Each structure stands twice: as C-alpha cells, then as structure tokens.
Amino acid sequence: MAKYLLIDGFNMAFRAFYAVKELRRSDGFPTNALYGWVRSMWKLLDDQKADHVTVFFDLGGAQEKLVLLPEYKANRGETPEEFEQQIPIIKQLTRAMGFGLVELDGVESDDLLAAYATRLVAKEPDALVQIVSADKDFAQSVTERIHLLLPPPTANPRLGWRELDPAGVEEKWGLPPEKMVDYLSLIGDTSDNIPGVPGCGPKTAVKWLTEYGDIDGVLANAAEIKPPRFRELLPTLKDRMDLNRKIIGFNLTHHDGEELDTGSLDVEALCKILEEMEMKSHHAEALKRYSQGELF
C-alpha cells in the first residue's frame, strides 16, 4: 500500500513561524520558520513513514471564489514581513528534502490538494492519503482512504498529532465528512470572511443536519425549526447557503490529468541551504540522517 502525505504548506509554515521565536542568522535574517519547518517535516517523516510527500502552496489569489464572493478573506491582516522573507527558502528546503511541490497562480492550494487526494485514491486502489493540515475544511475530503492528520493544538500540544478517518471526523465535529460542507456553510467561517446563518453555532448546526439531513432539508422545514427565532430568517438565506456551499466545497478539477510531483532528495543542496542559514544543528542532523557525512 503506497502512503502519501499531502501537506498544506502555508498552514504548516505559519505554525513553524509562530512556534519558534526570535531565531536569526548572524546578519539578522530571520530563520525561525525555517528551523521549525525542517524539524516538523522530519518529525512527520519519522512518525508516518510515508512513501511520498508533496507540499501545496498558494501563489496568491482565489479567482473562482472571489468572483462568487468579492470579500472572501478580505478581513485578513498583512502577512508578517519576516514570514514572507522565509517562504522562498522554505520552498527551496522542501525540494531539497525530497518533497514534491505544487502551486498554481490564482487557485487556492486547498483545492489543488483535495483534487490530487481524490484522484490518487481513485487511480491507486491500495493507496492511503494523509492530508496534513489544521484546516477543518479538509474534513469534507475524508474517506476510508483519505485521512486528515491534525497537528497538535497550540493551546494543548500534549494531544499530539491526531489522524481522523470518517469515524474520527464524526467524533470531533458531530457529523460525517459528507455533511461538513453544509455544516460549515451554516456556521460560516470568520477566518475566511464567509457569513453563515446569524446566531447559528456548531451545536445548532449539528442538531439541524442530524434531524433534517442537509441544508435543503433544513430550509424545507424552516417553519418548525428550533429555536423558533430562526423560522422567519432561514427562508431568506437560501441564496447565501447556495453560495457558501460553492465556496466551501472544493473544486476537484484543477491539474486534472497531471501526475503528482513527489520530488527527489538532494542532500548536497539541503546541506548548502542549512549552512547558509547557519542552522548548525539541522545541518549535523541532515548529515547523520542521510548518511552523507563522508561527502562534506
């Protein structure tokens, strides 16, 4: 059985950036995200023992979704400059470490990742795909052979990494993967500036979808919905719910037919980058890990 790790690049890079504070090269160039990135990727490799690893990055823009909702993600602040400075190096490290890298201008990496995950399991009947991300949107992609690998929560790191199959998704959110798009459409997503049903929180959304099946069922039964304060509101939100479904649901057609880039290890390039970034402990670990000490 081939095992694939498909990594949400910016999600994990931001975690690395905020996990390590004030780490710099001697000339002042920030290296905290680089340090955390390499450490996290090696940890994933050691724990998961995947056959192939591919990282997905955004190049900017989400044209299809912005056409539908111009204010999509408009509430997000500026990306820290020190994080931006490290992204090109993170991509260089990613390739040198032997990982594939996928990015497409104007298309969100989430859509690309979900598309490749779906095609991999369709093409390879024995393949297992693990999506590495803290983004709950990926719960919609979970199947018996596509799992969501959640990093340790910042607030409770002792929980460690958690692998969610369909039963795990239902245990965590109260609903199976096939209802997650409707669930997220109802509650909205403040981080992406997607408005849901005003006043509808996770518990209410789970209750409605459990009782009525999907958003269409919820709207069809608006006259008897509980709490009663939603009975007049829900019928006015059909267009919003249709829009939310389109934005939150993944487009699985991107890069259709293209083989997944799974990368190739370049120890010499990796060690050169680590030396240039003055990451001495990581450089020593690379030499030991790849048994290349005699070459340097």
Side-chain angles (χ1 to χ4, degrees):
M1 177 184 290
K3 186 175 182 179
Y4 293 85
L5 278 183
L6 305 187
I7 298 174
D8 181 354
F10 275 112
N11 189 281
M12 296 304 296
F14 266 114
R15 289 181 60 85
F17 178 75
Y18 287 111
V20 182
K21 304 291 185 182
E22 295 300 321
L23 195 60
R24 299 177 181 275
R25 197 167 58 182
S26 57
D27 64 359
F29 186 87
T31 57
N32 58 323
L34 308 179
Y35 180 91
W37 179 263
V38 174
R39 185 174 62 183
S40 297
M41 295 304 105
W42 278 340
K43 173 68 172 171
L44 276 171
L45 283 177
D46 292 344
D47 289 351
Q48 302 304 323
K49 297 177 172 57
D51 299 292
H52 308 287
V53 180
T54 300
V55 184
F56 293 75
F57 283 104
D58 282 317
L59 281 178
Q63 301 308 319
E64 294 177 351
K65 297 182 181 182
L66 287 169
V67 168
L68 295 170
L69 185 67
E71 58 270 31
Y72 180 62
K73 292 189 176 180
N75 59 329
R76 295 194 177 185
E78 290 293 323
T79 303
E81 182 180 353
E82 292 192 345
F83 177 77
E84 293 272 16
Q85 289 177 291
Q86 296 178 76
I87 287 300
I89 314 299
I90 284 178
K91 292 181 179 180
Q92 293 174 23
L93 285 167
T94 296
R95 291 196 181 280
M97 294 174 78
F99 307 150
L101 194 152
V102 176
E103 52 191 0
L104 182 62
D105 191 37
V107 177
E108 282 198 305
S109 60
D110 291 5
D111 288 292
L112 289 172
L113 193 158
Y116 273 108
T118 302
R119 287 202 295 274
L120 278 171
V121 296
K123 182 179 178 181
E124 302 180 32
D126 293 329
L128 174 65
V129 174
Q130 291 177 314
I131 297 174
V132 182
S133 178
D135 189 343
K136 59 184 177 294
D137 286 1
F138 284 115
Q140 67 184 276
S141 296
V142 171
T143 68
E144 292 299 336
R145 291 195 293 120
I146 300 175
H147 295 176
L148 179 56
L149 193 59
L150 295 173
T154 304
N156 190 8
R158 291 186 179 182
L159 276 180
W161 290 84
R162 292 162 293 163
E163 183 174 353
L164 303 185
D165 60 6
V169 168
E170 188 158 6
E171 181 180 355
K172 180 171 177 58
W173 284 286
L175 294 165
E178 60 268 21
K179 294 191 179 185
M180 288 302 295
V181 171
D182 281 10
Y183 167 78
L184 295 170
S185 296
L186 286 168
I187 67 173
D189 189 337
T190 55
S191 66
D192 287 345
N193 210 28
I194 301 173
V197 175
C200 176
K203 290 183 179 178
T204 299
V206 169
K207 178 182 177 182
W208 288 350
L209 293 173
T210 299
E211 187 167 356
Y212 301 113
D214 57 16
I215 285 177
D216 296 331
V218 171
L219 296 177
N221 290 277
E224 59 185 53
I225 210 86
K226 294 180 181 179
R229 68 178 183 274
F230 291 102
R231 292 175 183 174
E232 292 185 7
L233 174 63
L234 281 170
T236 71
L237 298 177
K238 183 182 186 308
D239 288 345
R240 178 184 293 183
M241 292 299 99
D242 289 342
L243 182 63
N244 284 4
R245 281 169 151 176
K246 291 177 182 178
I247 294 173
I248 294 169
F250 293 134
N251 183 335
L252 303 180
T253 64
H254 294 301
H255 274 209
D256 194 16
E258 293 192 26
E259 291 295 319
L260 179 68
D261 177 11
T262 54
S264 59
L265 177 67
D266 189 337
V267 178
E268 185 174 0
L270 174 59
C271 288
K272 182 179 179 181
I273 297 168
L274 295 175
E275 282 189 298
E276 289 176 350
M277 292 297 111
E278 300 176 4
M279 297 166 65
K280 295 179 181 179
S281 62
H282 282 12
H283 181 222
E285 171 66 16
L287 296 177
K288 179 181 178 182
R289 176 176 289 268
Y290 302 113
S291 301
Q292 298 287 330
E294 72 278 1
L295 299 180
F296 299 88

